[in-house]
Amino acid sequence: MIFIYAFLISGLFCMVAQILLENTKLTPGHVTSLFTALGAGLSFLGIYPKLIEISGAGATILISNFGHLLYQGVIEGFHQNGFLGLFSGMLTKSSLAIASAVIFAFLFSFTFKPKD
Amino acid sequence: MNKEQYQKLVKKYEPQENKIKNVFLAFISGGCLGLSCQILATFFQNVLGMSTETSYSFVCIILIFLASLFTALGFFDDLVSKYRAGLIIPTTGFAHSMSSSALDYRKDGMITGLGSNIFKLAGSVLLYGIISAFLFGYLGVIFYG
């Protein structure tokens, strides 16, 4: 069952984004930023953890998961370090995506030449 | 020829894209990506004995690695222009934007080119993600304690 939900949830998010791209003047940059903020909002409402529960990787591979991890990091940081944790806990959970994207981009920009 | 006629002429020769087909393609490609990632995560959990969260992290890293590699090899741009949101909304879009700007600006030098431009496109995701997470986190701390 989790496989069907993985297909539906991740397909649905992509479909909504494509509908936005087709019918408004928003660029892919706008849409990805919007979905990141949406992920943080859904996490605040408690919906995103449920989505991950029912659809597994279908929800964790989306860019909204990035917003969800940022929000969870803030909350966890607050419970551990109080006010300072709002800042120090922010990037703890999402570090994986940022660091790996930076490192792979840096390495591959040396090993490959841009296609004209 | 006045402005209105010109606008009509422009509209006539604009490439007509099939909206429904694009939306359908985005749904199918995004869905297939999510499904195959879940299959991979299940494989990691059952065969390699990873915990649920670790398996999702590994899937995420593999996805970012493949997106960066395919962008560097030069054929990811064609895939993105075909499937659009189906590849932009998953984490692949984030990795793609970062590695494509790294590739494009490397010729301008290590600092002024690569260093200052690598976050050019991905920067907005980071900025608005952090700002919104901070605001929602503040609210969450007030509401839920």
Side-chain angles (χ1 to χ4, degrees):
Chain A
M1 204 58 200
I2 196 169
F3 297 109
I4 298 169
Y5 278 125
F7 184 87
L8 286 179
I9 298 286
S10 97
L12 202 70
F13 271 74
C14 296
M15 193 174 84
V16 171
Q18 184 64 33
I19 290 170
L20 281 176
L21 278 177
E22 294 287 344
N23 295 313
T24 58
K25 281 187 177 160
L26 300 177
T27 64
H30 288 98
V31 175
T32 42
S33 307
L34 194 72
F35 271 69
T36 316
L38 184 77
L42 286 178
S43 188
F44 165 70
L45 295 172
I47 297 170
Y48 213 83
K50 286 216 175 65
L51 283 183
I52 292 177
E53 206 174 285
I54 61 164
S55 71
T60 58
I61 58 159
L62 301 174
I63 195 76
S64 318
N65 188 53
F66 188 65
H68 161 71
L69 288 178
L70 287 171
Y71 174 81
Q72 296 295 332
V74 170
I75 296 295
E76 210 161 275
F78 179 78
H79 287 307
Q80 281 173 4
N81 298 321
F83 176 73
L84 261 185
L86 284 178
F87 300 91
S88 67
M90 174 81 75
L91 295 173
T92 43
K93 291 189 160 202
S94 51
S95 165
L96 182 119
I98 303 173
S100 58
V102 169
I103 290 164
F104 293 139
F106 185 77
L107 288 180
F108 289 141
S109 75
F110 279 94
T111 35
F112 296 96
K113 284 204 170 71
K115 202 180 74 171
D116 294 312
Chain B
M1 190 160 60
N2 63 23
K3 221 173 179 180
E4 271 178 35
Q5 283 173 320
Y6 178 71
Q7 288 294 337
K8 265 184 194 166
L9 210 67
V10 167
K11 219 163 209 177
K12 197 177 160 192
Y13 288 106
E14 251 180 7
Q16 288 288 323
E17 289 191 333
N18 195 341
K19 285 183 181 182
I20 293 170
K21 192 184 146 214
N22 283 347
V23 169
F24 183 71
L25 261 182
F27 177 71
I28 294 296
S29 57
C32 287
L33 199 61
L35 179 64
S36 44
C37 285
Q38 180 54 40
I39 290 171
L40 198 63
T42 313
F43 173 79
F44 283 158
Q45 283 162 28
N46 293 341
V47 180
L48 304 179
M50 289 179 186
S51 72
T52 319
E53 218 159 283
T54 321
S55 70
Y56 294 157
S57 301
F58 264 99
V59 167
C60 190
I61 283 200
I62 288 170
L63 216 54
I64 289 173
F65 176 81
L66 288 180
S68 305
L69 182 68
F70 291 166
T71 309
L73 289 173
F75 62 85
F76 203 72
D77 289 318
D78 302 333
L79 289 178
V80 168
S81 55
K82 189 176 177 195
Y83 296 112
R84 301 264 178 85
L87 288 175
I88 292 168
I89 292 302
T91 322
T92 46
F94 183 69
H96 167 68
S97 66
M98 212 177 261
S99 49
S100 62
S101 47
L103 279 170
D104 287 345
Y105 288 99
R106 189 172 59 96
K107 62 180 187 304
D108 298 338
M110 288 296 286
I111 304 295
T112 51
L114 182 59
S116 53
N117 286 305
I118 190 166
F119 283 108
K120 203 169 198 182
L121 298 162
S124 63
V125 172
L126 281 175
L127 171 66
Y128 292 109
I130 287 175
I131 298 294
S132 60
F134 184 74
L135 291 178
F136 281 121
Y138 203 76
L139 284 176
V141 164
I142 293 169
F143 282 147
Y144 306 128

